[in-house]
Amino acid sequence: MSTKSDQITLQELISRLKDYLLFLWSKKLWFLVFAAAFAVVLVAYNGLKTKKYTATTSFVLENGGAGLGDLSSLASLAGVNLGGALSESNDLFQIDNIQELYRSHRMISETMLTEAPFRKGGDLLVNKFIEQNELREEWEGEQGLENISFSIPREQFTIQHDSLLLEFTDMIREDYLAVSKPNRKLSILNVNVTDEYQEFAKRFNDALVQNVNSFYTKTRTKKSGENLAILQKQADSVKLVLEAAMLRLAQVQESAPNRNPLYKTPLVEEQKLMVDIAASSAMYETVVKNLEIAKVSHRSKMPLIQIIDYPILPLKDNQWKLAKTIVVGGLVGGFLALIYFTGVRMLRVALKEEEHQ
């Protein structure tokens, strides 16, 4: 009994491939129609969509505290045991959490109330935001909103001011702002602000980066700065006490230049002053050592924020160039045509094989 082999020879495979290519070649006009149609659709979509500009600032962040070993060595040479003072790590403001800091209501609202140098004169970003979004037209007839002004001191803001700022913050966070890390292994952060008005996008991006980075630096160095100020005050106080004791000793010695060495009582005050000077000198030396260590520690807490790229006008927009749009549209149309006619071909072959069985 003989059976039909299901194996396909190389010659049959080449023959089928040749038939398939000839079939596609016979549909070349349809390929052109598909490519032209999708190119037209993509050009129309690209031209009709709202043009938006994106301002991008990228920077690298290196947290302070990397030189703790050097600080410990310096402390040991100075004869001071720091213990765990330098081993405390504050992970509140690591690079991952800074992304949320950029999206916080405080940072965005402070940025909205920042004055920016627009081409037609400086103005608050919040005023430009209201003007560009034509919000005052929407507020017509609403009591208290038609003539509301943000160009007043912050402490004079009413509930309406705070409510609007909260609403603006949500709008910025959802539709304008994007903060991301291009690589999880690198301490690089990208801050993107997208808007229909490129100057507003740039000015808001610049102000937001400035405000957040300044807040971050101050917060990172706040504790070490307070400790430094306390030590500096102590050093100044001890120095004044030491100088006063030295001055008093000189006055006592000058008051009796030819003192009789047989009289010991007058020497008591002089000896007391010398003890005070020795104690104050030792205390001042210790405080100065701690002060110098605190200065090094304070400098090590300063984070390195190095701007890599910053937005420059004119900004890039979301619309493609005409040539790129036509090419991409043609390729997409041709690919879809290939899928369609390949499916048709496979279906016909399958139906033909079933008829012969």
Side-chain angles (χ1 to χ4, degrees):
M1 182 175 60
S2 62
T3 59
K4 183 178 180 181
S5 176
D6 294 331
Q7 295 182 353
I8 301 177
T9 64
L10 178 60
Q11 184 177 1
E12 291 176 346
L13 181 61
I14 294 176
S15 176
R16 291 188 181 186
L17 180 60
K18 182 179 180 180
D19 292 340
Y20 172 69
L21 294 177
L22 290 175
F23 170 77
L24 293 180
W25 179 252
S26 67
K27 305 296 183 183
K28 56 183 179 297
L29 294 179
W30 283 106
F31 273 89
L32 294 176
V33 171
F34 270 76
F38 276 90
V40 171
V41 170
L42 193 58
V43 168
Y45 169 77
N46 187 57
L48 293 176
K49 70 178 181 181
T50 303
K51 180 183 288 188
K52 292 186 177 181
Y53 301 89
T54 299
T56 301
T57 297
S58 61
F59 59 88
V60 61
L61 172 66
E62 179 182 344
N63 289 319
L68 296 183
D70 295 338
L71 291 178
S72 299
S73 301
L74 179 61
S76 300
L77 292 175
V80 179
N81 182 14
L82 296 180
L86 296 179
S87 62
E88 296 179 359
S89 60
N90 184 1
D91 59 352
L92 177 60
F93 292 110
Q94 297 299 325
I95 187 69
D96 292 335
N97 295 336
I98 292 183
Q99 298 182 60
E100 294 304 318
L101 181 62
Y102 267 94
R103 295 171 56 84
S104 66
H105 170 69
R106 175 176 177 177
M107 291 294 99
I108 295 178
S109 60
E110 287 184 0
T111 302
M112 294 290 284
L113 298 175
T114 301
E115 184 172 353
F118 290 92
R119 295 177 181 177
K120 297 182 179 180
D123 197 359
L124 295 180
L125 287 165
V126 64
N127 291 336
K128 283 293 183 182
F129 183 80
I130 293 173
E131 175 186 343
Q132 293 171 174
N133 290 277
E134 301 179 349
L135 296 179
R136 293 199 182 277
E137 287 75 2
E138 298 181 7
W139 295 341
E140 290 183 0
E142 297 189 26
Q143 186 177 3
L145 292 182
E146 290 182 339
N147 299 319
I148 193 169
S149 174
F150 288 89
S151 301
I152 59 177
R154 185 66 175 85
E155 57 272 12
Q156 297 181 12
F157 278 17
T158 63
I159 296 179
Q160 290 177 323
H161 287 90
D162 294 333
S163 298
L164 288 176
L165 277 179
L166 183 59
E167 182 179 347
F168 296 161
T169 299
D170 292 336
M171 294 173 63
I172 292 292
R173 187 185 295 121
E174 294 176 5
D175 302 327
Y176 294 77
L177 179 63
V179 185
S180 62
K181 288 183 61 177
N183 192 321
R184 295 292 299 177
K185 296 181 180 180
L186 301 178
S187 297
I188 296 179
L189 199 65
N190 289 342
V191 180
N192 300 319
V193 177
T194 303
D195 188 38
E196 299 178 23
Y197 302 89
Q198 60 175 333
E199 190 174 10
F200 177 84
K202 172 180 167 50
R203 302 305 177 191
F204 190 90
N205 184 287
D206 292 341
L208 181 62
V209 170
Q210 175 64 31
N211 290 339
V212 174
N213 290 351
S214 176
F215 176 81
Y216 169 77
T217 301
K218 290 179 181 178
T219 306
R220 283 280 301 176
T221 59
K222 182 178 181 181
K223 186 177 180 179
S224 60
E226 292 175 350
N227 293 336
L228 181 61
I230 293 173
L231 286 173
Q232 184 65 60
K233 186 177 180 179
Q234 290 178 345
D236 295 339
S237 299
V238 174
K239 184 179 180 182
L240 290 176
V241 172
L242 176 60
E243 291 175 348
M246 295 173 64
L247 178 62
R248 177 59 182 161
L249 177 61
Q251 292 173 347
V252 169
Q253 292 176 343
E254 291 175 353
S255 64
N258 299 317
R259 183 183 300 112
N260 190 337
L262 297 178
Y263 293 98
K264 305 298 181 181
T265 303
L267 297 177
V268 174
E269 184 178 2
E270 184 175 337
Q271 291 173 348
K272 287 182 177 180
L273 290 171
M274 294 178 66
V275 171
D276 291 342
I277 291 174
S280 298
S281 297
M283 184 180 299
Y284 183 68
E285 182 181 0
T286 302
V287 173
V288 169
K289 289 178 181 178
N290 291 337
L291 179 60
E292 293 303 317
I293 294 173
K295 289 180 179 179
V296 177
S297 176
H298 181 67
R299 287 195 294 268
S300 72
K301 295 290 184 181
M302 294 288 292
L304 172 63
I305 302 177
Q306 182 62 50
I307 301 295
I308 302 175
D309 293 313
Y310 54 90
I312 301 176
L313 296 176
L315 301 177
K316 293 182 179 180
D317 58 70
N318 61 336
Q319 289 187 343
W320 291 356
K321 300 298 182 181
L322 180 60
K324 178 182 178 180
T325 306
I326 294 175
V327 171
V328 173
L331 291 177
V332 171
F335 180 72
L336 292 177
L338 177 64
I339 295 177
Y340 172 75
F341 288 117
T342 300
V344 171
R345 172 72 175 178
M346 293 176 63
L347 181 61
R348 290 180 180 178
V349 171
L351 293 176
K352 185 177 181 180
E353 289 180 352
E354 288 184 0
E355 292 178 356
H356 286 79
Q357 289 180 356

